[in-house]
Amino acid sequence: MYIKKILLAVVLLGLVAMGGFSWYVYSTVFSPNTAFNNEQAHIYIPTDATYQDVVLELEPLLNDMDDFTAVAQKKGYASNIKAGHFIIKKGMNNNDIINTIRSKNIPIEVKFNNQERLEDLAGNIARQIEADSISLLHAMQDSVFLKEAEQTDETALALYIPNTYEFYWNSSAETFRDRMKTEYNRFWNESRTQKANKLNLTPAQVMSLAAIVQKETAKVEERPRVAGVYVNRLERGMPLQADPTVIYAKKRAENDFDQIIKRVLYKDLELDSPYNTYKYTGVPPGPIAMPDISSIDAVLNYEKHDYYYFVANTKRFGYHKFAKTLAQHNRNKAEYVRWISQQGVNR
């Protein structure tokens, strides 16, 4: 009888121990371990991250980091860390969190628009993906890449068409650059290429002209008309005489792209630069900014008319007055000069 009691006690102690162990396993592996109030949290694990890097990323988001580490060790996560962007959901347990951050790299949306230089674009993209701005700039300026892409240092910016694209957060600089080249080639389909050919312009020249149109007017519906003015000028061999190109030439010459120029002065028109379309005919050697798709298509589908001149409309802000003759344009221009002087805009 005494032995039976001992055996019963041992069995009961074993059951308690097993229950305790089971509870420990359940609470460590399967009980919720998130500490954030939102429905989900975004995790960014860099390339070649150590487990400590992961801890620093997760620590503010979890209730019990020790429990997470215990499960991570059991599942061999520390030796199989994956870089990328991951989303963990509120109420997830340690097992689900680990399965998520080592297998479900979620793409992100990368957006950019009207940058004036590759340096600006590199800085913009570096704020969205893992690659830093220096590596991005080097990749964009790589001479071998530019040759393969049939671009020059001057036209390199044209490769990057403003839009929203899906990327993995841990994409390299070369991955980003190469994808943009693919998107550029896809954009320049047979239809757009044929329209460029009819204008006697290369795709890069269309992009350069579209950049001027972009800078001249923010009104999308007005862009085909502005483009038509420049096409008319090109066909007659007239200089484009676009103020935005003079502003760009000045910024480039002074290596100061932060300066704000609201008024072009007569002395600026004498600046000797291939981007100064008052001094040099034809399309500038490269885009003065990234044109939107609407500006590119405005050039390819320009409005056919007899206008050769335009100036800002002082009565309809954001729009322009168009003229067929120089005499008419001079009257419109005089009105604009009086107005801008009254506003006290001297530079």
Side-chain angles (χ1 to χ4, degrees):
M1 181 66 73
Y2 181 71
I3 294 176
K4 287 183 178 181
K5 289 182 179 180
I6 292 176
L7 290 174
L8 180 60
V10 170
V11 170
L12 290 174
L13 286 173
L15 290 173
V16 170
M18 288 179 61
F21 178 74
S22 298
W23 171 249
Y24 170 76
V25 170
Y26 176 81
S27 62
T28 302
V29 179
F30 297 110
S31 64
N33 191 27
T34 56
F36 51 88
N37 294 320
N38 295 331
E39 289 303 312
Q40 59 186 28
H42 296 260
I43 310 298
Y44 298 90
I45 300 177
T47 301
D48 298 326
T50 65
Y51 182 69
Q52 187 57 36
D53 294 325
V54 177
V55 169
L56 291 175
E57 186 74 12
L58 286 174
E59 207 161 23
L61 303 172
L62 303 186
N63 285 317
D64 194 323
M65 202 65 219
D66 290 337
D67 280 357
F68 176 85
T69 294
V71 178
Q73 290 174 342
K74 289 289 184 182
K75 294 175 72 71
Y77 172 73
S79 60
N80 190 30
I81 295 172
K82 302 292 185 182
H85 163 241
F86 307 93
I87 297 176
I88 61 174
K89 297 179 180 179
K90 181 180 180 180
M92 268 188 169
N93 58 50
N94 291 322
N95 188 63
D96 289 338
I97 293 171
I98 292 169
N99 289 342
T100 296
I101 65 175
R102 73 176 176 187
S103 63
K104 298 179 181 179
N105 191 1
I106 306 296
I108 61 170
E109 287 189 344
V110 173
K111 305 176 183 179
F112 59 90
N113 56 16
N114 319 118
Q115 310 296 316
E116 287 187 322
R117 303 176 301 159
L118 288 177
E119 290 87 344
D120 300 322
L121 175 62
N124 181 298
I125 300 304
R127 292 190 290 272
Q128 300 182 67
I129 66 174
E130 182 183 17
D132 62 76
S133 59
I134 294 175
S135 62
L136 282 161
L137 184 59
H138 285 170
M140 293 171 185
Q141 293 177 328
D142 180 70
S143 58
V144 175
F145 166 75
L146 290 176
K147 185 176 181 180
E148 290 175 352
E150 299 181 343
Q151 301 293 334
T152 66
D153 290 337
E154 301 286 358
T155 64
L157 190 65
L159 279 172
Y160 305 91
I161 298 175
N163 212 330
T164 300
Y165 303 93
E166 270 199 356
F167 277 92
Y168 287 111
W169 174 79
N170 54 313
S171 295
S172 68
E174 290 75 19
T175 297
F176 172 79
R177 173 202 69 187
D178 293 344
R179 165 74 181 285
M180 290 297 95
K181 175 176 172 284
T182 299
E183 295 294 340
Y184 176 87
N185 291 333
R186 182 180 292 121
F187 176 83
W188 281 103
N189 54 30
E190 184 178 355
S191 174
R192 287 192 172 101
T193 302
Q194 286 178 350
K195 290 176 181 178
N197 291 337
K198 287 181 180 179
L199 288 168
N200 293 317
L201 298 174
T202 65
Q205 288 176 317
V206 170
M207 301 286 280
S208 294
L209 191 58
I212 298 173
V213 172
Q214 175 88 28
K215 285 289 189 177
E216 288 284 17
T217 179
K219 303 298 183 182
V220 173
E221 67 272 23
E222 193 183 53
R223 287 173 179 167
R225 178 165 291 191
V226 171
V229 170
Y230 289 130
V231 170
N232 288 345
R233 283 179 163 264
L234 287 173
E235 289 178 346
R236 287 187 58 174
M238 297 171 63
L240 296 181
Q241 295 186 331
D243 286 0
T245 66
V246 179
I247 293 172
Y248 178 83
K250 184 175 185 299
K251 290 181 176 181
R252 185 182 173 95
E254 297 172 2
N255 195 28
D256 180 7
F257 284 82
D258 293 326
Q259 59 182 302
I260 298 174
I261 302 172
K262 296 182 178 180
R263 185 172 185 174
V264 173
L265 307 179
Y266 284 111
K267 66 179 182 180
D268 299 330
L269 306 184
E270 299 303 318
L271 182 63
D272 190 13
S273 166
Y275 289 91
N276 183 352
T277 56
Y278 278 83
K279 285 187 74 76
Y280 294 92
T281 58
V283 179
I288 61 173
M290 257 177 215
D292 287 346
I293 292 176
S294 64
S295 294
I296 302 168
D297 284 340
V299 172
L300 295 175
N301 304 284
Y302 67 94
E303 182 181 316
K304 296 181 180 179
H305 52 59
D306 296 325
Y307 297 125
Y308 288 87
Y309 309 91
F310 65 93
V311 70
N313 190 333
T314 61
K315 301 290 194 301
R316 197 178 177 207
F317 186 75
Y319 290 90
H320 295 80
K321 283 187 175 182
F322 294 82
K324 298 178 181 179
T325 67
L326 181 58
Q328 182 184 3
H329 172 66
N330 284 338
R331 289 193 295 272
N332 293 339
K333 181 180 176 182
E335 179 183 333
Y336 170 73
V337 170
R338 285 194 300 272
W339 178 84
I340 198 171
S341 296
Q342 291 170 356
Q343 308 309 307
V345 179
N346 299 314
R347 185 43 119 177

